[in-house]
Amino acid sequence: PNRTLHGHPRLLSSDVYSQYESVRQGKQEIPKYFNFARDVLDKWSEIEKAGKRPSNPAFWWINGEGEEVKWSFEELGFLSRKVANVLTKECGLQKGDRLILILPRIPEWWLVKVACIRAGIVIIPGTSQLSAKDILYRLQASKATCIITTDKLAPAVDSVASQCQLLKTKLMVSKGSREGWLNLTELY
């Protein structure tokens, strides 16, 4: 997957760089509307399916207890399409809508990010350390219509949601349920 850079054996460049060079030199078409999920992730998935590239993990996550999640490009693409469908169909989000994402760096964090890119939804990330006041400020300032968080932060969101007229959908990543919340894990 690496090539020498300018013929020098000690300087290596990746295939990504060589693809960039072909675009820069006008040898490869630049899409009119670039979408990372479609134009990169899905393209690499097609290359792997066709056997033109060995199957490598697109995503590999290991938590502190040793639990491991590993997805190929095809699996990441498939799962991100499922999450994008949840966001657009179940939640009614459209291209340009804003979504606040307050999750620890669990696999769903990446799925939601790629799904938002795929659907054209604007992602507003937040840390799990936000207080109810911080969440209220972000919801009001961003005019977000959807929030995704964990069951730990759901009570903080509920305490300020009545002050956020634009907030229509609350999604929770959890094994349990909560009144007024959709469970993202169950939906996708």
Side-chain angles (χ1 to χ4, degrees):
N2 290 323
R3 301 168 195 225
T4 60
L5 184 63
H6 302 294
H8 194 280
R10 298 191 72 193
L11 297 176
L12 298 176
S13 69
S14 69
D15 281 342
V16 173
Y17 179 77
S18 63
Q19 290 171 0
Y20 166 77
E21 278 299 304
S22 66
V23 168
R24 193 176 69 77
Q25 294 172 8
K27 296 176 185 172
Q28 190 172 348
E29 188 177 324
I30 299 171
K32 185 174 181 179
Y33 299 102
F34 178 78
N35 182 298
F36 174 80
R38 183 189 64 238
D39 296 324
V40 176
L41 181 64
D42 292 349
K43 185 161 220 115
W44 283 24
S45 177
E46 290 171 16
I47 291 169
E48 281 185 0
K49 276 192 229 176
K52 296 178 183 175
R53 174 186 171 100
S55 183
N56 288 316
F59 178 83
W60 196 345
W61 176 86
I62 303 171
N63 70 6
E65 289 82 47
E67 180 186 356
E68 181 176 289
V69 174
K70 193 187 291 189
W71 295 321
S72 67
F73 285 95
E74 184 177 1
E75 291 167 322
L76 182 56
F78 175 74
L79 292 170
S80 69
R81 280 189 290 279
K82 287 177 79 170
V83 173
N85 285 337
V86 167
L87 297 175
T88 57
K89 292 182 172 68
E90 302 289 331
C91 301
L93 296 176
Q94 299 175 357
K95 186 176 183 176
D97 284 346
R98 297 176 185 113
L99 176 147
I100 293 184
L101 179 64
I102 307 173
L103 290 176
R105 296 311 176 259
I106 57 177
E108 289 82 0
W109 186 85
W110 278 274
L111 282 180
V112 170
K113 297 278 272 190
V114 175
C116 286
I117 292 168
R118 186 177 294 285
I121 297 167
V122 178
I123 311 157
I124 303 159
T127 176
S128 298
Q129 297 172 332
L130 295 175
S131 68
K133 183 179 175 182
D134 297 327
I135 293 169
L136 173 64
Y137 172 77
R138 282 162 176 76
L139 284 166
Q140 289 177 338
S142 68
K143 300 180 176 138
T145 57
C146 181
I147 189 165
I148 300 176
T149 192
T150 62
D151 51 354
K152 290 181 182 177
L153 276 177
V157 173
D158 283 339
S159 72
V160 299
S162 64
Q163 300 173 59
C164 305
Q165 287 70 32
L166 294 175
L167 182 63
K168 303 288 184 234
T169 308
K170 298 180 288 184
L171 284 163
M172 187 169 55
V173 176
S174 172
K175 292 182 176 139
S177 62
R178 184 176 179 88
E179 188 174 330
W181 288 76
L182 298 172
N183 188 312
L184 180 67
T185 309
E186 292 174 4
L187 290 172
Y188 88 89

